[in-house]
């Protein structure tokens, strides 16, 4: 408890791996992640039952699957959190390469499961969404390039990372998956800012993204339909947004009671994209604020630790991972309350989904590894190493 209050102590040379890992880990962030996963299981007990009955499956079939996927995701998170920044960079780049190849192959071997976007690979017993695994790898790759560009005589890493960004965004938009494309763009902008990019360049990229959105609106019926639905002054109560909005209003401060909510019987995605509506209806504003607080603690603690980090790769990658994690949660909840257009994006560690929870475990493991307390050395020593 003392270490959780006053912070972890730096690793000492010769320490065994597990004691050193535990001493240097951000235990509050780890506790918040476990709390989010526990809340996800609690909500899944209510949200996934209607879907299970509709598919003639046992009532808690999807909860049991989530426990398996979530357990695997947490194990992966803990293992990855023990790695060094150099190892994080290596597995991130490798993961990006594999995920990107799968995304390139999606038009030929992928499926849309009737949702209008070819985002998944069906393996029979389970489906895989490569874009979920692409995000942490993309962050590691671009952080590596940007950090290398800060070295004396280093490569034009920022320009190379921009090329990687454009390539990834184009392939994601082709699925179409504009939500993940927007999240990738946002994480790159954050990392580019941390790496020391001029503000004019950030504004130029943001302007290009806006122009891309206008083009997508005219070229993609899928994208235009979601934007038009968002811009309508009145919400159709028979749509997913309509059901979610009504459920949030009905929940009030304390909710209608455990298991008493009705939105889970109307929303086909109640256990995934709109699980926050189930939380708001059955547990009320209290539960929603608890979820928001957990996400806020993870992001804020990670960013505070990154402010003290002197290793360029760790600082850039950690900031990108933390911001991408927080913004994904923000987008999911923003869609449910109609602050944002529908995106089809999960709530990390809370929504049902094997790809989502395992990929979130990888990303959070990388973030926990990069935010571990390490001896930073003196600035003079770092400058001497660069020269």
């Amino acid at each position: 408890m003392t270490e959780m209050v006053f912070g972890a102590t730096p690793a000492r040379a010769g320490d065994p791996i597990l004691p050193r890992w535990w001493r240097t880990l951000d235990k509050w962030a780890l506790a918040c992640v476990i709390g989010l996963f526990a809340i996800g299981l609690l909500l899944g007990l209510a949200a996934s039952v209607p879907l299970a009955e509709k598919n003639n499956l046992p009532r808690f079939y999807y909860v049991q699957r989530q426990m398996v996927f979530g357990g695997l995701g947490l194990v992966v998170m803990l293992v990855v959190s023990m790695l060094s920044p150099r190892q994080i960079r290596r597995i991130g780049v490798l993961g990006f390469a594999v995920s990107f190849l799968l995304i390139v192959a999606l038009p030929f071997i992928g499926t849309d499961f009737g949702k209008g976007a070819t985002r998944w690979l069906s393996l029979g017993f389970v489906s895989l969404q490569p874009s979920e695994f692409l995000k942490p790898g993309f962050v590691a790759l671009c952080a590596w390039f940007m950090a290398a560009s800060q070295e004396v005589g280093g490569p034009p890493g920022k320009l190379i990372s921009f090329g990687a960004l454009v390539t990834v965004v184009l392939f994601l938009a082709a699925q179409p998956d504009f939500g993940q494309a927007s999240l990738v763009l946002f994480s790159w902008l954050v990392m580019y800012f941390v790496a020391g990019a001029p503000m004019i360049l950030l504004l130029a990229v943001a302007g290009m993204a806006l122009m891309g959105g206008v083009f997508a609106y005219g070229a993609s019926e899928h994208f235009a339909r979601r934007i038009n639905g968002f811009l309508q002054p009145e919400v159709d109560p028979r749509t997913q947004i309509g059901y979610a909005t009504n459920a949030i209003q009905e929940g009030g401060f304390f909710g209608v009671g455990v298991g008493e909510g009705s939105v889970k019987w109307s929303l086909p995605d109640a256990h995934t994209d709109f699980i926050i509506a189930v939380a708001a209806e059955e547990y009320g504003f209290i539960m929603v604020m608890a979820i928001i607080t957990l996400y806020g603690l993870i992001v804020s603690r990670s960013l505070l630790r990154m402010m003290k980090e002197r290793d360029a790769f760790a600082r850039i990658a950690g900031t990108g991972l933390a911001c991408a994690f927080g913004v994904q949660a923000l987008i999911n909840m923003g869609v449910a309350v109609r602050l944002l257009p529908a995106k089809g994006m999960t709530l990390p560690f809370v929504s049902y989904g094997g790809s989502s929870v395992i990929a979130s475990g990888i990303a959070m493991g990388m973030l926990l590894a990069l935010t571990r307390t390490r001896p930073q050395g003196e600035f003079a020593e770092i400058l001497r190493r660069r020269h």
Side-chain angles (χ1 to χ4, degrees):
M1 179 59 72
T2 302
E3 290 180 0
M4 293 184 73
V5 174
F6 295 101
T9 57
R12 293 188 290 266
D15 282 348
I17 294 177
L18 287 178
R20 181 169 67 246
W21 166 78
W22 180 247
R23 240 192 340 267
T24 58
L25 186 70
D26 186 350
K27 302 173 187 63
W28 279 110
L30 176 62
C32 289
V33 171
I34 295 174
L36 287 171
F37 179 63
I39 290 174
L41 291 179
L42 177 65
L43 297 176
L45 289 172
S48 64
V49 170
L51 181 63
E53 293 187 356
K54 178 182 177 182
N55 294 334
N56 297 318
L57 296 169
R59 288 173 60 85
F60 300 115
Y61 172 80
Y62 292 104
V63 178
Q64 293 169 353
R65 285 173 63 89
Q66 184 70 352
M67 291 181 66
V68 173
F69 289 135
L72 179 58
L74 292 178
V75 169
V76 170
M77 178 186 72
L78 294 176
V79 171
V80 173
S81 69
M82 298 179 186
L83 303 179
S84 67
R86 177 176 296 182
Q87 292 169 324
I88 291 295
R89 185 187 68 203
R90 290 174 178 173
I91 67 167
V93 173
L94 178 60
F96 171 82
V98 174
S99 302
F100 183 71
L101 289 176
L102 291 176
I103 286 177
V104 172
L106 279 178
F108 310 100
I109 60 176
T111 181
D112 62 358
F113 290 112
K115 296 187 177 182
T118 307
R119 303 174 185 173
W120 296 271
L121 292 174
S122 179
L123 305 179
F125 63 96
V126 69
S127 60
L128 179 70
Q129 188 174 355
S131 60
E132 290 284 357
F133 298 91
L134 178 80
K135 290 179 294 185
F138 173 81
V139 169
L141 178 75
C142 290
W144 178 32
F145 287 141
M146 293 179 186
S149 69
Q150 297 180 3
E151 298 290 338
V152 176
K158 294 177 181 177
L159 180 61
I160 297 173
S161 72
F162 179 73
L165 168 72
V166 173
T167 303
V168 168
V169 167
L170 288 176
F171 273 97
L172 289 176
Q175 293 182 3
D177 191 347
F178 296 104
Q180 299 288 7
S182 301
L183 193 57
V184 165
L185 175 61
F186 173 80
S187 62
W188 184 87
L189 287 172
V190 168
M191 291 189 294
Y192 203 34
F193 175 77
V194 172
M199 186 61 68
I200 188 65
L201 287 180
L202 296 177
L203 293 176
V205 174
M208 292 171 60
L210 181 61
M211 292 174 59
V214 173
F215 174 78
Y217 180 83
S220 171
E221 181 181 351
H222 174 81
F223 184 79
R225 184 168 61 250
R226 292 197 169 187
I227 295 297
N228 290 337
F230 172 72
L231 294 177
Q232 286 180 355
E234 299 294 333
V235 181
D236 186 346
R238 297 166 297 180
T239 62
Q240 295 206 88
I241 295 294
Y243 288 127
T245 303
N246 181 69
I248 293 171
Q249 293 173 345
E250 291 292 327
F253 201 82
F254 295 106
V256 299
V258 180
E260 299 298 322
S262 60
V263 71
K264 58 195 177 188
W265 298 97
S266 306
L267 277 173
D269 293 329
H271 62 311
T272 54
D273 299 349
F274 289 93
I275 198 166
I276 196 68
V278 177
E281 184 182 32
E282 297 199 359
Y283 297 91
F285 177 75
I286 297 295
M287 175 63 81
V288 175
M289 283 307 301
I291 294 173
I292 293 175
T293 299
L294 291 176
Y295 284 114
L297 283 172
I298 293 171
V299 174
S300 60
R301 288 185 63 85
S302 299
L303 293 180
L304 285 173
R305 289 194 169 211
M306 287 297 96
M307 291 175 64
K308 304 174 184 178
E309 180 60 58
R310 297 178 185 174
D311 179 86
F313 169 77
R315 183 174 65 253
I316 297 170
T319 303
L321 288 168
C323 291
F325 180 79
V327 169
Q328 179 170 341
L330 183 65
I331 290 174
N332 176 277
M333 292 183 281
V335 168
V337 297
R338 205 169 176 252
L339 289 176
L340 295 169
K343 296 287 186 182
M345 194 171 292
T346 58
L347 193 59
F349 292 108
V350 177
S351 294
Y352 171 82
S355 294
S356 173
V357 73
I358 294 175
S360 296
I362 295 173
M364 185 51 57
M366 294 170 65
L367 181 58
L368 289 173
L370 295 173
T371 55
R372 283 170 55 192
T373 306
R374 290 182 296 276
Q376 299 292 336
E378 300 295 333
F379 274 121
E381 180 183 348
I382 296 173
L383 291 175
R384 282 197 298 270
R385 286 203 303 267
R386 288 189 176 183
H387 292 81

